[in-house]
Amino acid sequence: MHLFRMRLILALIASVTIVSVASTYFDVLAHRHALRQELENRTKWMGLSIEPDVQGPLAAGDSSALAGVTQLLRAGTGALGIMVYDVRGRVLGSAGPSEVTSALGHGVTKTLEKGTEESAFGHTGEWRWLEEVFPLHNGRQLIGGMTIVVDAGYIHEQDVDLWRRSFWRVLALVILIVAITAGMVGWFLTRPMKRVTERLRHLRTGHAEKTGEPDLSLFSPLAREVETMAESLKAARAAAEAEARLREAGERWWTAERLAVHMRDRAGSSRIFVVSNREPYVHARKGREIVCTVPPSGLVTALEPVLRACDGVWVASGSGDADKLVVDGCDRQRVPPDEPRYSLRRVWLTDEEESKYYDGFANEGLWPLCHIAHTRPIFRAGDWECYQQVNQRFADAVLEEMAESEEPVVFVQDYHFALLPRLLKRARPDARVAIFWHIPWPNPEAFGICPWQAELLDGLLGADLLGFHIPLHCHNFLATVDRVLESRTDRDHMTVSRRGHFTTVRPYPISVAYEGIPNVGADGDDPAAEERRAQERRSLLSESGVRAEQMALGVDRMDYTKGILERLTALEQLLEEHPYYRERLALVQIAAPSRTRIPSYADLRARVEEAVERINWRYQTAHWKPVVLIERQCNHEEVRRWYQAADLCLVTSLHDGMNLVAKEFVAARDDEDGVLVLSKFTGAAMELRDALIVNPYDARAAAEAIRAGLEMSRADRRQRMQRMRRQVMEHNIYLWAASVLGDLRELRLDDAEGMDLSRAESISVS
Ligand code: G6P
């Protein structure tokens, strides 16, 4: 930059000087020309006016008179010299300094020869002059000539003066221009350049967030481009690092990139189709704009890398109020909207369908049927009719999408689509169909409540692969099939054979997108980190006007299976039995509104609010209350802040297929601190053995677990958290997707005996 500035300044000096000198030169020429012209005119007038005084004595050939006349005329006119010649060029009279008169040119000869006026500038020694020669006549006859010499020295002096003034002007100009240029270079180039450099350095070192967005003025477009490039480089570097770590870890850990490559390598010509009730992108109107959001769902995180890698199709119900505006004539949209890589096909449900299929059969029927939470399932014939119709509509949409695909792979999600596998397989026997049941499967007696259990089982058994979170749900399913249908179940190989079709049943514990590496072995006692966490806790709690030294956290949908009321009872028990925690501990309960049209959900909400009010009323003081209830959908980032600030996370579901909150909490705790209190009735309890496992129905035991968690030593907390983090990282969502889809690809559809996955290159994590 310094060299650039020097060069720029030198170039400017050179060009300003050249331009100024050239312009001065022409000024001097013009000025000199004007002065000479004026002097010539003046001399001519002078010559004309003194001619008569010379003509007489010349005509008479009186040289002594001429000598006197020339002296007089010289004195009278102020001329430098006057000389008079006869027609042969002899000097008859002369006045003036001899250095000048002797140095005069040959103008007189020309005048006497041609009879014309001649003029010439000359100089010698210190003299500079103009000689003007006039022809002299007597009547028409040329009788001689007269030379008038005038001083022209002042013209030269003015030339010199002009050059001198020009020199100072040029100098001032150069100084001014150099100063302005240097200032401008500094302001418009050096400073922004420094900021760009600084910004890029931060991007390179990964500290860009801390510095914020600087004003990069004219470099902004360039900087934006470079930033995008730097971001890609960062992502590439992170991916490369992840790859290196994977290699280092002997391929044990899964990442989005590894999943994408894994699936692409094995997909062959097959295309993949995902079906779920919730869509991965929702478009909503916000004023005049259409805003696209990604619902906070682990499923999108898991399946998107696969769909992107294989240009798949996701079929889902369109729920955003602007979804219809962004699809094409076939209800398709390429997504992600910013970087289209796969297709989203939307199915539109009417209000009646929403109410009967989703609210009714799925959520008032199957949901409480499968969760032992003591909320009675409600089965209405009208809802069942609608459930069948909606399943058929989704099947039609999927079949339409895969019409051109050979041996398509279909991955159906959850209890909304129990009939879909059969509908698809009947129309496309060449398709490989898997369905994952994200909720528990109860024992045969409990499931037997459903009037249409046989139809549901038959629908599910259309699938080639049926996944549950844990082995218990697989066993419950096989037992239910045994009890209800005519079929052959093989408990050893976990398969069901019915009318010549085999279904393999497998546990695949779902997880979160945690890709980090546990900080095992590092010195974990970082007082600064503790202080940061305390500060964050204070700041988060102060938004609700609460001061507390310790914070417990619950994050759930407002759902009766989540044990929110039981959690509140446990807290109340703790405060009653251990008054020490009054004014010390606050429970923050984030409860995202869910399925609000269903009476049992509205009822739960009222009961939770009532319980919170009651407990708060009982214990609260001026700056503290035991429960902060946040009833809204919080985004990933917000929830992550709460997870990281909490001392303890309470997951007290009465029954849960997995419960990803438990795993999200663990994955969020980079500081390897925090205690997880986890219900024994969750799928997660099978994996996270280092949580404090509780029975949520036992309020006293749950209260004790909270107390034990709050009083646990840092070393114990750290050890438990490290082990849980390793478990979650090694069994992340990418492994889940790779396992289900990998197993589905390995199945041999044509050979009944070949359904044994143990012979295939299985990566199942059961
Ligand atoms: C459970 C189900 C999911 C469902 C989610 C949210 O986890 O297994 O399929 O998407 O709850 O419920 P919602 O009814 O809002 O989709």
Side-chain angles (χ1 to χ4, degrees), residues 281 283 292 294 308 333-341:
Y281 291 92
H283 292 79
C292 174
V294 180
R308 280 172 184 240
Q333 186 195 1
R334 295 287 293 168
V335 288
D338 291 341
E339 194 198 347
R341 301 283 288 278

mmCIF file of all heavy atoms in Angstrom, residues 281 283 292 294 308 333-341:
data_model
loop_
_atom_site.group_PDB
_atom_site.id
_atom_site.type_symbol
_atom_site.label_atom_id
_atom_site.label_comp_id
_atom_site.label_asym_id
_atom_site.label_seq_id
_atom_site.Cartn_x
_atom_site.Cartn_y
_atom_site.Cartn_z
ATOM 1 N N TYR A 281 -40.540 -27.039 4.314
ATOM 2 C CA TYR A 281 -40.485 -25.580 4.107
ATOM 3 C C TYR A 281 -41.909 -25.047 4.136
ATOM 4 O O TYR A 281 -42.778 -25.590 3.444
ATOM 5 C CB TYR A 281 -39.835 -25.229 2.759
ATOM 6 C CG TYR A 281 -38.367 -25.550 2.752
ATOM 7 C CD1 TYR A 281 -37.917 -26.787 2.317
ATOM 8 C CD2 TYR A 281 -37.437 -24.636 3.243
ATOM 9 C CE1 TYR A 281 -36.575 -27.111 2.358
ATOM 10 C CE2 TYR A 281 -36.092 -24.943 3.288
ATOM 11 C CZ TYR A 281 -35.667 -26.184 2.844
ATOM 12 O OH TYR A 281 -34.339 -26.499 2.896
ATOM 13 N N HIS A 283 -44.307 -21.636 3.633
ATOM 14 C CA HIS A 283 -44.347 -20.258 3.141
ATOM 15 C C HIS A 283 -45.545 -19.547 3.741
ATOM 16 O O HIS A 283 -46.670 -20.030 3.623
ATOM 17 C CB HIS A 283 -44.438 -20.232 1.618
ATOM 18 C CG HIS A 283 -43.189 -20.728 0.974
ATOM 19 N ND1 HIS A 283 -42.897 -22.061 0.870
ATOM 20 C CD2 HIS A 283 -42.135 -20.060 0.439
ATOM 21 C CE1 HIS A 283 -41.716 -22.201 0.287
ATOM 22 N NE2 HIS A 283 -41.235 -21.007 0.020
ATOM 23 N N CYS A 292 -40.298 -17.616 3.977
ATOM 24 C CA CYS A 292 -40.138 -19.074 4.006
ATOM 25 C C CYS A 292 -39.424 -19.466 5.301
ATOM 26 O O CYS A 292 -38.382 -18.911 5.632
ATOM 27 C CB CYS A 292 -39.304 -19.511 2.807
ATOM 28 S SG CYS A 292 -38.912 -21.253 2.856
ATOM 29 N N VAL A 294 -38.152 -22.842 7.961
ATOM 30 C CA VAL A 294 -37.938 -24.288 8.114
ATOM 31 C C VAL A 294 -38.409 -24.639 9.515
ATOM 32 O O VAL A 294 -37.860 -24.135 10.489
ATOM 33 C CB VAL A 294 -36.443 -24.647 7.966
ATOM 34 C CG1 VAL A 294 -36.236 -26.137 8.114
ATOM 35 C CG2 VAL A 294 -35.922 -24.167 6.639
ATOM 36 N N ARG A 308 -31.106 -34.100 -1.031
ATOM 37 C CA ARG A 308 -30.244 -33.222 -1.836
ATOM 38 C C ARG A 308 -29.281 -34.049 -2.679
ATOM 39 O O ARG A 308 -29.078 -33.783 -3.855
ATOM 40 C CB ARG A 308 -29.404 -32.315 -0.936
ATOM 41 C CG ARG A 308 -30.129 -31.118 -0.402
ATOM 42 C CD ARG A 308 -29.213 -30.465 0.608
ATOM 43 N NE ARG A 308 -29.830 -29.350 1.263
ATOM 44 C CZ ARG A 308 -29.353 -28.108 1.219
ATOM 45 N NH1 ARG A 308 -28.273 -27.846 0.539
ATOM 46 N NH2 ARG A 308 -29.952 -27.145 1.848
ATOM 47 N N GLN A 333 -42.553 -27.724 -5.857
ATOM 48 C CA GLN A 333 -41.636 -26.592 -5.708
ATOM 49 C C GLN A 333 -40.242 -27.167 -5.528
ATOM 50 O O GLN A 333 -40.077 -28.174 -4.834
ATOM 51 C CB GLN A 333 -42.013 -25.763 -4.469
ATOM 52 C CG GLN A 333 -41.192 -24.500 -4.329
ATOM 53 C CD GLN A 333 -41.290 -23.867 -2.939
ATOM 54 O OE1 GLN A 333 -41.971 -24.385 -2.054
ATOM 55 N NE2 GLN A 333 -40.605 -22.770 -2.751
ATOM 56 N N ARG A 334 -39.274 -26.528 -6.168
ATOM 57 C CA ARG A 334 -37.895 -26.982 -5.951
ATOM 58 C C ARG A 334 -37.382 -26.308 -4.684
ATOM 59 O O ARG A 334 -37.539 -25.105 -4.489
ATOM 60 C CB ARG A 334 -36.994 -26.588 -7.135
ATOM 61 C CG ARG A 334 -37.358 -27.259 -8.434
ATOM 62 C CD ARG A 334 -37.001 -28.720 -8.480
ATOM 63 N NE ARG A 334 -35.567 -28.964 -8.461
ATOM 64 C CZ ARG A 334 -35.033 -30.162 -8.255
ATOM 65 N NH1 ARG A 334 -35.805 -31.215 -8.034
ATOM 66 N NH2 ARG A 334 -33.731 -30.311 -8.267
ATOM 67 N N VAL A 335 -36.810 -27.073 -3.797
ATOM 68 C CA VAL A 335 -36.302 -26.550 -2.536
ATOM 69 C C VAL A 335 -34.882 -27.084 -2.276
ATOM 70 O O VAL A 335 -34.494 -28.083 -2.916
ATOM 71 C CB VAL A 335 -37.233 -26.954 -1.347
ATOM 72 C CG1 VAL A 335 -38.526 -26.195 -1.387
ATOM 73 C CG2 VAL A 335 -37.480 -28.457 -1.331
ATOM 74 N N PRO A 336 -34.145 -26.475 -1.374
ATOM 75 C CA PRO A 336 -34.412 -25.236 -0.639
ATOM 76 C C PRO A 336 -34.566 -24.076 -1.613
ATOM 77 O O PRO A 336 -33.846 -24.046 -2.634
ATOM 78 C CB PRO A 336 -33.164 -25.040 0.227
ATOM 79 C CG PRO A 336 -32.468 -26.362 0.239
ATOM 80 C CD PRO A 336 -32.835 -27.075 -1.012
ATOM 81 N N PRO A 337 -35.447 -23.115 -1.320
ATOM 82 C CA PRO A 337 -35.720 -22.056 -2.285
ATOM 83 C C PRO A 337 -34.455 -21.315 -2.755
ATOM 84 O O PRO A 337 -34.363 -20.919 -3.900
ATOM 85 C CB PRO A 337 -36.645 -21.109 -1.516
ATOM 86 C CG PRO A 337 -37.267 -21.971 -0.470
ATOM 87 C CD PRO A 337 -36.255 -23.000 -0.097
ATOM 88 N N ASP A 338 -33.461 -21.188 -1.864
ATOM 89 C CA ASP A 338 -32.241 -20.453 -2.234
ATOM 90 C C ASP A 338 -31.284 -21.281 -3.076
ATOM 91 O O ASP A 338 -30.436 -20.731 -3.775
ATOM 92 C CB ASP A 338 -31.458 -20.039 -0.967
ATOM 93 C CG ASP A 338 -32.213 -18.985 -0.213
ATOM 94 O OD1 ASP A 338 -33.087 -18.352 -0.840
ATOM 95 O OD2 ASP A 338 -31.955 -18.815 0.992
ATOM 96 N N GLU A 339 -31.388 -22.582 -2.966
ATOM 97 C CA GLU A 339 -30.425 -23.438 -3.659
ATOM 98 C C GLU A 339 -31.129 -24.744 -4.007
ATOM 99 O O GLU A 339 -30.866 -25.786 -3.401
ATOM 100 C CB GLU A 339 -29.247 -23.711 -2.700
ATOM 101 C CG GLU A 339 -28.025 -24.279 -3.338
ATOM 102 C CD GLU A 339 -27.112 -24.915 -2.290
ATOM 103 O OE1 GLU A 339 -27.319 -24.691 -1.093
ATOM 104 O OE2 GLU A 339 -26.217 -25.673 -2.703
ATOM 105 N N PRO A 340 -32.059 -24.705 -4.984
ATOM 106 C CA PRO A 340 -32.928 -25.859 -5.235
ATOM 107 C C PRO A 340 -32.160 -27.135 -5.547
ATOM 108 O O PRO A 340 -31.329 -27.160 -6.453
ATOM 109 C CB PRO A 340 -33.750 -25.411 -6.445
ATOM 110 C CG PRO A 340 -33.664 -23.935 -6.444
ATOM 111 C CD PRO A 340 -32.315 -23.593 -5.890
ATOM 112 N N ARG A 341 -32.434 -28.173 -4.770
ATOM 113 C CA ARG A 341 -31.723 -29.438 -4.953
ATOM 114 C C ARG A 341 -32.662 -30.637 -5.036
ATOM 115 O O ARG A 341 -32.280 -31.692 -5.489
ATOM 116 C CB ARG A 341 -30.731 -29.665 -3.811
ATOM 117 C CG ARG A 341 -29.677 -28.587 -3.663
ATOM 118 C CD ARG A 341 -28.592 -28.728 -4.715
ATOM 119 N NE ARG A 341 -27.759 -29.872 -4.434
ATOM 120 C CZ ARG A 341 -26.757 -29.871 -3.576
ATOM 121 N NH1 ARG A 341 -26.466 -28.779 -2.930
ATOM 122 N NH2 ARG A 341 -26.040 -30.953 -3.382
#
